[in-house]
Amino acid sequence: MNKPKNDTFLRALLRQPTEHTPIWLMRQAGRYLPEYCETRRRAGSFMDLCRNPQLATEVTLQPLARYDLDAAILFSDILTVPDAMGLGLYFVEGEGPKFERPLREEWEIRNLTAPDPGVELRYVMDAVAEIRRALGNSVPLIGFSGSPFTLACYMIEGGASEDFRTIKAMLYDRPDLLHHVLEVNAGAVTAYLNAQIESGAQAVMIFDTWGGALSNRAYREFSLAYMERIVDGLIREHGGARVPCIVFTKGGGQWLEEIASIGCDAVGLDWTTDIGAARKRVGDKVALQGNLDPVALFAQPEKIALEARAILDAYGPGSGHVFNLGHGISQFTPPEHVTALVNAVHEHSRKQRQI
Ligand code: CP3
């Protein structure tokens, strides 16, 4: 068994005791780091960077060289899966991701099939294996995917959307069609995450960025039910170690109990939920991950440390907390402010354990 020297992240996800609260940041490798921008320039484009295992490894390691982070996350994107389904992913500067061939017609939806992760997504598996080699046994590597619903938002809208009117019109008019897309996506995501685990990912996270845009009733039927299916199909043990699974619905605070009961090991929280109250609601069912407002990183370092301590105190003593932001780090974040956050989380959580 190849146990990382610093396995606080894995232990916290399994609610086992740790010497400090582990921390990593969503989008920790990204445009706020000048070294990332430099590597991306060398690669040519964001997708060229994702498709090159050596360069993807280089950027995965960049935040770990700067900060005392407790986990690495695969450098890739959730939209590699629909790209591999043939939708034609591209990025427009300032406008985010887009698809050349969004799903609109019934025949296009009926023809949709899950990619073979070992073929169309081979480059991701190669990156996972390469990153694991480069990490040695320092910290664990997180693999990830989008949720079936969040992927469907981009696949059907064709890009980012303010109101999700195309996918929601389909949800209300033709729920059978949307269910078909979600079913294909759930199969694709399960195979994709399992392939990442077999290639060396030591924990996995499902990003349900847009589940919180659904109505109360629609969330269970069109997002949560499909994440449950994925969790049911995941490899839970690999190489003699448990592979924990984290589910994150942005805007999902009102559904915490239900998310906690789909069989995942941890639930990600955005910054609108009180983590102490969330802990009481989920009890000892799952660990919690979160939940600093990413925009708090624009405040002065002393204020960032205060916010971090307030979250640690709200969670309270005992294990089961992985510190993170409530969503991805902003590209405009001053990199030195992240140092203040990571150090505050480690120092304060060590002190908490001495009381
Ligand atoms: O966390 C990490 O460091 C791992 C890498 C990662 C990226 N995207 C890299 C990336 C992860 C986990 C993601 C997930 C992702 N991608 C999500 C779910 C999480 C979330 O943030 O809500 C979503 C919705 C996407 C789709 C996507 N990809 C968006 C909205 C964007 C930003 C577009 C923009 O121009 O702002 C991307 C591109 C992207 N993915 C970047 C990075 C570092 C920036 C691209 C660049 O370098 O130009």
Side-chain angles (χ1 to χ4, degrees), residues 92-243:
V92 180
E93 199 59 47
E95 283 180 52
K98 293 208 184 290
F99 284 109
E100 282 163 32
R101 293 172 289 280
L103 293 178
R104 291 290 155 81
E105 306 298 332
E106 181 157 358
W107 66 267
E108 293 170 320
I109 290 173
R110 298 282 172 213
N111 282 341
L112 191 71
T113 53
D116 181 338
V119 180
E120 287 96 337
L121 293 160
R122 177 83 250 159
Y123 67 93
V124 179
M125 306 313 144
D126 291 343
V128 170
E130 180 81 25
I131 296 164
R132 268 302 297 277
R133 268 195 296 276
L135 283 171
N137 63 350
S138 54
V139 291
L141 174 63
I142 308 165
F144 70 90
S145 175
S147 74
F149 178 74
T150 293
L151 294 179
C153 287
Y154 289 98
M155 293 161 75
I156 291 165
E157 298 292 338
S161 172
E162 276 184 12
D163 55 9
F164 302 100
R165 70 179 93 148
T166 319
I167 189 171
K168 285 191 174 180
M170 189 186 289
L171 182 155
Y172 294 110
D173 286 336
R174 291 293 308 272
D176 61 311
L177 279 187
L178 183 56
H179 276 304
H180 182 73
V181 175
L182 296 170
E183 214 160 279
V184 175
N185 285 356
V189 168
T190 308
Y192 182 55
L193 289 176
N194 282 340
Q196 291 182 34
I197 292 167
E198 280 170 341
S199 303
Q202 290 148 296
V204 292
M205 173 154 165
I206 303 172
F207 286 89
D208 185 28
T209 305
W210 300 122
L214 286 166
S215 74
N216 200 55
R217 204 144 33 93
Y219 174 71
R220 293 175 187 81
E221 181 181 342
F222 293 92
S223 188
L224 191 62
Y226 290 94
M227 294 197 285
E228 182 164 21
R229 244 196 249 188
I230 294 166
V231 173
D232 278 348
L234 285 180
I235 297 170
R236 301 308 281 269
E237 224 181 271
H238 190 256
R242 170 102 181 154
V243 183

Side-chain angles (χ1 to χ4, degrees), residues 26-31 36 40 46 73-79 91 96-97 144 154 207 209 327:
M26 289 191 256
R27 295 267 180 102
Q28 63 191 23
R31 286 171 291 188
Y36 168 84
R40 195 186 67 167
F46 172 68
I73 180 161
L74 160 70
F75 188 82
S76 188
D77 198 80
I78 63 166
L79 300 178
F91 284 85
F144 70 90
Y154 289 98
F207 286 89
T209 305
H327 194 211

Side-chain angles (χ1 to χ4, degrees), residues 15-69:
R15 289 172 294 113
Q16 296 165 359
T18 56
E19 334 28 90
H20 63 256
T21 300
I23 173 170
W24 71 279
L25 308 176
M26 289 191 256
R27 295 267 180 102
Q28 63 191 23
R31 286 171 291 188
Y32 73 107
L33 293 177
E35 57 271 34
Y36 168 84
C37 296
E38 170 54 31
T39 310
R40 195 186 67 167
R41 215 171 7 252
R42 263 197 286 135
S45 71
F46 172 68
M47 280 312 290
D48 288 333
L49 185 49
C50 290
R51 290 201 179 98
N52 182 321
Q54 279 73 40
L55 295 183
T57 300
E58 187 177 306
V59 293
T60 299
L61 299 182
Q62 285 169 350
L64 297 154
R66 261 191 196 251
Y67 314 114
D68 193 12
L69 294 162

